[in-house]
Amino acid sequence: MKEAARQARAENHLIGLVPTMGALHEGHLSLVRRAKQECSRVYASIFVNPKQFGPNEDFTKYPRAFESDSEKFAALEVDGLFAPPLEEIYPPGFSTYVDVEGISERLEGKSRPGHFRGVATIVLKLFEITQPDFAYFGRKDAQQVAVINKMVRDLNLSVQIVVCPIVREADGLALSSRNAYLSGEERRAAATLHRSLEAARAELKRGTRDSLQLQEVMRGAFEKESLAKLDYAELVAADSFEPVSHIFRASYVLVAARFGKTRLLDNMLVEPVGEGSEELLFHL
Ligand code: AMP
């Protein structure tokens, strides 16, 4: 992979990287399509990264579908698929990690200690191996994007991070490889994530800017659904991921919940239409 990337750079190609853990769906493929528009060489990776899973999480049962994944990437004319074996990425004695302090400890980081350390470490390794000009990530994992952006700034990396919109099912559920774990009933209940964001949007449109009030409205959406167990509903500044008491600047409305054993995330980006404007734009 390193040799191919080195050659592509020598030939002045613009390299785009799409990192994934496989079990591909339209969300992943939307990243590839965007990369194909902007880059002359597109590499995708499939690596289920054990370092970003907690000891009681789903690493061993995480869905794996290498054959159909590689067909999907081939159909989109990906120039290279990097799917290294575990021991090549983490050989015995591996002991170097990237810790993006602060932001990694909140929200997802609090619910999943060590998760972002694992993410930052593998993403830096993938950047080093594939030497991308652009790397494509989904806004579904908004805090992951914020952690990676911080790492890119703090470590003077040369890659530019491109954030792509969330691809959803007809009822609003964000596509996720983990949706495959849901029973029929849980799948129906999982639409609560999106409904809670819609409820926050309606409240913001009514003029509410107070975070506590907005959180209350989001919690309300979960109270009606016995199969859903809310983990958090939070409002944070889009750049720093620090909690905000009011929505005046670009902010994320974030929600995480459990449906049986499956933990899912969703979010909405809210930003003023223009500088100092009262009117808001919603990216759901
Ligand atoms: P994963 O395989 O879950 O690690 O995801 C790989 C990339 O796809 C990450 O950048 C995710 O944010 C992105 N992604 C996952 N689901 C979606 C979705 N529904 N819409 C857009 N991007 C997504």
Side-chain angles (χ1 to χ4, degrees):
M1 184 68 248
K2 273 193 132 172
E3 185 47 42
R6 219 186 333 259
Q7 194 165 338
R9 290 198 78 81
E11 291 167 11
N12 283 323
H13 280 292
L14 267 185
I15 301 179
L17 173 68
V18 180
T20 82
M21 298 203 299
L24 300 180
H25 51 64
E26 272 302 313
H28 299 114
L29 301 183
S30 73
L31 307 183
V32 174
R33 290 195 192 95
R34 174 80 176 268
K36 288 293 288 184
Q37 283 169 15
E38 297 174 353
C39 303
S40 57
R41 278 282 183 279
V42 172
Y43 300 137
S45 63
I46 298 178
F47 184 69
V48 185
N49 175 33
K51 306 274 185 199
Q52 70 189 67
F53 288 77
N56 298 316
E57 292 183 6
D58 54 345
F59 173 69
T60 48
K61 73 170 180 128
Y62 194 84
R64 285 158 174 91
F66 185 77
E67 290 304 319
S68 68
D69 285 352
S70 50
E71 281 167 23
K72 285 174 189 164
F73 280 140
L76 293 181
E77 299 181 348
V78 162
D79 299 290
L81 171 55
F82 182 53
L86 197 58
E87 58 281 9
E88 202 169 297
I89 294 296
Y90 300 118
F94 179 90
S95 66
T96 305
Y97 295 88
V98 182
D99 239 318
V100 182
E101 294 176 353
I103 186 167
S104 292
E105 282 117 53
R106 294 193 290 279
L107 299 160
E108 278 308 283
K110 198 166 183 185
S111 295
R112 306 180 66 188
H115 171 65
F116 287 123
R117 181 190 200 235
V119 168
T121 302
I122 188 64
V123 169
L124 181 61
K125 283 169 71 78
L126 292 171
F127 287 171
E128 276 303 298
I129 294 165
T130 62
Q131 297 289 310
D133 297 284
F134 298 93
Y136 295 81
F137 292 89
R139 207 197 68 224
K140 185 174 83 73
D141 302 283
Q143 192 177 2
Q144 168 171 282
V145 172
V147 167
I148 293 167
N149 266 323
K150 183 84 172 45
M151 172 179 78
V152 166
R153 279 199 304 278
D154 285 356
L155 299 183
N156 310 93
L157 306 185
S158 303
V159 60
Q160 197 167 315
I161 305 303
V162 182
V163 189
C164 301
I166 303 176
V167 179
R168 298 176 178 283
E169 302 276 10
D171 66 351
L173 177 66
L175 298 190
S176 162
S177 306
R178 288 192 169 96
N179 292 351
Y181 299 149
L182 300 169
S183 70
E185 278 290 275
E186 289 163 356
R187 168 64 189 82
R188 186 192 49 72
T192 314
L193 288 163
H194 181 255
R195 267 200 297 280
S196 73
L197 295 173
E198 285 284 16
R201 169 157 72 176
E203 194 62 27
L204 281 158
K205 280 188 169 169
R206 262 180 236 122
T208 303
R209 295 291 180 268
D210 181 80
S211 294
L212 291 176
Q213 264 175 279
L214 291 161
Q215 282 173 294
E216 198 52 46
V217 163
M218 292 173 75
R219 272 196 288 270
F222 278 89
E223 273 157 21
K224 293 174 209 136
E225 184 49 75
S226 61
L227 287 182
K229 209 165 156 282
L230 181 64
D231 185 351
Y232 60 76
E234 292 287 343
L235 294 95
V236 301
D239 45 6
S240 66
F241 264 71
E242 295 282 356
V244 290
S245 61
H246 291 82
I247 301 275
F248 290 128
R249 284 178 293 135
S251 306
Y252 275 109
V253 182
L254 303 163
V255 61
R258 274 178 207 287
F259 304 88
K261 288 192 177 131
T262 308
R263 190 168 173 283
L264 299 175
L265 304 181
D266 206 343
N267 71 76
M268 167 171 73
L269 175 61
V270 181
E271 55 184 355
V273 170
E275 185 79 24
S277 169
E278 297 269 303
E279 203 188 326
L280 296 174
L281 264 179
F282 300 93
H283 306 272
L284 205 69

